[in-house]
Amino acid sequence: MAVIESVASLHEAHRDNHTHRDVNGGWLRPAVFGAMDGLVSNLALMTGVAGGAVSQQTIVITGLAGLAAGAFSMAAGEYTSVASQRELVQAELDVERRELRRHPVDEMEELAALYVSRGVEPELAREVATQLSRDPEQALEIHAREELGIDPDDLPSPLVAAVSSFGAFALGALLPLLPYLLGATALWPAVLLALAGLFGAGALVARVTARSWWFSGLRQLALGGVAAALTYGLGTLLGAAL
């Protein structure tokens, strides 16, 4: 009895410590990309214009226009790309569903051969494939996982990707604008706040990845800083030339 209780508690502990985060939900990549793109692109856009020795009002209008244009562009692009990917997956699933309906035995043998190639004994592989193939929807799911590397029930949502991208880009692009909207008259507060935001966003992303927070933060800080410096220099050259 004690052994059974020990095994049960071990299984419960294993269950509690063996959960995985959602890696296919379709929100993390567009959110991270949107926030970083909003920060870097709007910071670079504003510093580039500021390098041309323009008025404070021009910088603010440029930043607001960059925020709106970038957010809508990111949302439209994410929605279209994820929707196209989803439609492609659905088309391939329809092909697999049709093959399962027309050639069930061949598909079952194909699944058994796949398990054999992974080290399962032929008789056991055939028995497993036979049992899994009894339910058409389960068979479709198994074939999709094994042949296409996808889960039919866990496809990314175009709407989630678009909304995540829009919100993240707008939030990122707003950061370098805040000092100006709060009354700042110089560029350096916007640059400092944006660079701090880049470091913070990179460190935050590290919480859901395997990277250390300081490495991820410094990487984003360096990329954003270089982009801002280059566009400021370009704006200064163009302002002098024009």
Side-chain angles (χ1 to χ4, degrees), residues 30 68 71-72 74-75 161-171:
F72 282 111
M74 286 287 294
V163 171
S164 301
S165 180
F166 182 92
F169 186 98
L171 185 62

Side-chain angles (χ1 to χ4, degrees), residues 150-235:
I150 59 172
D151 183 353
D153 297 325
D154 192 26
L155 299 180
S157 166
L159 184 59
V160 170
V163 171
S164 301
S165 180
F166 182 92
F169 186 98
L171 185 62
L174 180 63
L175 211 55
L177 265 171
L178 275 179
Y180 282 102
L181 296 178
L182 295 176
T185 57
L187 179 64
W188 65 265
V191 173
L192 289 180
L193 184 59
L195 293 179
L198 281 168
F199 182 86
L204 184 63
V205 169
R207 291 182 61 87
V208 294
T209 65
R211 288 289 188 183
S212 60
W213 64 271
W214 58 267
F215 176 87
S216 183
L218 287 176
R219 178 175 59 184
Q220 297 305 327
L221 176 63
L223 292 173
V226 169
L230 290 176
T231 52
Y232 182 83
L234 182 61

Side-chain angles (χ1 to χ4, degrees), residues 31-58:
V32 172
F33 181 59
M36 298 304 178
D37 193 21
L39 266 167
V40 174
S41 64
N42 221 30
L43 174 62
L45 181 63
M46 291 171 62
T47 54
V49 172
V54 299
S55 66
Q56 175 187 349
Q57 183 182 20
T58 301

Side-chain angles (χ1 to χ4, degrees), residues 124-145:
L124 179 58
R126 191 170 292 106
E127 177 62 26
V128 171
T130 300
Q131 292 187 26
L132 293 176
S133 300
R134 290 172 182 170
D135 182 353
E137 288 304 314
Q138 179 177 256
L140 176 64
E141 181 179 343
I142 296 298
H143 280 273
R145 289 177 183 272

